[in-house]
Amino acid sequence: QKEVEQNSGPLSVPEGAIASLNCTYSDRGSQSFFWYRQYSGKSPELIMSIYSNGDKEDGRFTAQLNKASQYVSLLIRDSQPSDSATYLCAVNMGSGGSNYKLTFGKGTLLTVNP
Amino acid sequence: DTGVSQDPRHKITKRGQNVTFRCDPISEHNRLYWYRQTLGQGPEFLTYFQNEAQLEKSRLLSDRFSAERPKGSFSTLEIQRTEQGDSAMYLCASSPQGVETQYFGPGTRLLVL
């Protein structure tokens, strides 16, 4: 069973702090990793994708990937109350070139307190 | 680029009834995916189309579920003889050729009474 694990939270941080969200995955051959944000009652919204080991920065968001440890994380700097949402880690565990299905974790609920 | 659209946004039905949902992907996205999400869980993969070909179906997709994408554009997901356990958010996503990033529609929330 190929799995993606996330702490369900809730993770609570004060406004302006750094929020750190973590994800581990079971399939060592996985190559593509995504973070989605989901507000309550809404659909997932793509924040970042990462494919190579190391860090990838986009504005206040930084994704970090360590394939040897099968670990991917998302850092949110200068957290804002509008960042309060569930963050979903998704991994493409497809074995073939035509298989792009995503396996999602259960998500981590982040609350940013003003 | 108007984004992925889904219709209806909400559906309430009685157990045993059939329901059909529609998804219109982003224009020229040849890959289309269906996922199901229940409360407190991440989306779970149901099925995937490349153009009009259905390339993979999850074992979650019982015989009561069928999906089509007849002309490689919009897709429909039908659930026959609905059960209370089918209550969930049904999400559609699309991606263009050669790109793994998937963009989700607003979802259809199904409640089976």
Side-chain angles (χ1 to χ4, degrees):
Chain A
Q1 180 82 5
K2 297 181 178 179
E3 295 182 337
V4 176
E5 299 286 342
Q6 294 182 255
N7 289 331
S8 61
L11 173 65
S12 182
V13 300
E15 185 175 355
I18 296 174
S20 177
L21 304 160
N22 304 316
C23 171
T24 58
Y25 58 94
S26 62
D27 183 11
R28 184 170 292 278
S30 300
Q31 297 294 321
S32 309
F33 308 86
F34 304 87
W35 284 100
Y36 286 85
R37 176 175 62 197
Q38 187 171 31
Y39 292 112
S40 181
K42 303 296 185 182
S43 64
E45 172 192 9
L46 180 71
I47 297 177
M48 292 194 69
S49 60
I50 187 166
Y51 304 96
S52 303
N53 280 329
D55 295 358
K56 179 181 179 182
E57 186 174 319
D58 184 359
R60 296 186 296 112
F61 299 96
T62 299
Q64 299 174 318
L65 175 60
N66 183 328
K67 291 183 180 179
S69 300
Q70 295 175 234
Y71 175 91
V72 58
S73 66
L74 180 70
L75 299 178
I76 306 175
R77 290 182 300 281
D78 187 25
S79 295
Q80 301 297 310
S82 58
D83 295 327
S84 298
T86 296
Y87 288 80
L88 296 164
C89 174
V91 180
N92 179 352
M93 295 185 178
S95 57
S98 63
N99 187 342
Y100 290 88
K101 71 179 182 183
L102 296 178
T103 300
F104 285 82
K106 292 184 178 181
T108 298
L109 178 62
L110 171 67
T111 300
V112 180
N113 301 306
Chain B
D1 183 351
T2 57
V4 179
S5 61
Q6 292 187 245
D7 185 70
R9 296 289 301 276
H10 302 274
K11 179 71 176 179
I12 299 175
T13 192
K14 293 182 179 179
R15 189 175 53 190
Q17 298 294 305
N18 299 342
V19 294
T20 300
F21 308 142
R22 175 178 170 129
C23 170
D24 286 86
I26 294 172
S27 179
E28 309 208 354
H29 280 196
N30 69 328
R31 292 192 174 92
L32 186 148
Y33 311 79
W34 286 98
Y35 292 85
R36 179 173 68 187
Q37 186 176 25
T38 54
L39 198 62
Q41 303 294 316
E44 295 176 290
F45 171 80
L46 293 178
T47 191
Y48 151 58
F49 291 85
Q50 180 166 301
N51 300 311
E52 66 275 9
Q54 188 174 19
L55 295 187
E56 186 168 346
K57 291 174 58 174
S58 165
R59 63 181 184 279
L60 293 174
L61 220 62
S62 75
D63 291 344
R64 297 185 297 107
F65 288 71
S66 63
E68 295 182 339
R69 194 183 183 197
K71 296 183 179 179
S73 56
F74 72 91
S75 175
T76 58
L77 177 68
E78 180 182 18
I79 309 174
Q80 296 182 327
R81 305 180 303 281
T82 53
E83 302 172 356
Q84 288 184 326
D86 297 330
S87 295
M89 172 86 90
Y90 289 83
L91 293 162
C92 177
S94 70
S95 65
Q97 180 76 26
V99 175
E100 295 186 45
T101 303
Q102 297 179 23
Y103 300 91
F104 283 84
T108 295
R109 188 173 295 280
L110 172 67
L111 178 60
V112 181
L113 301 176

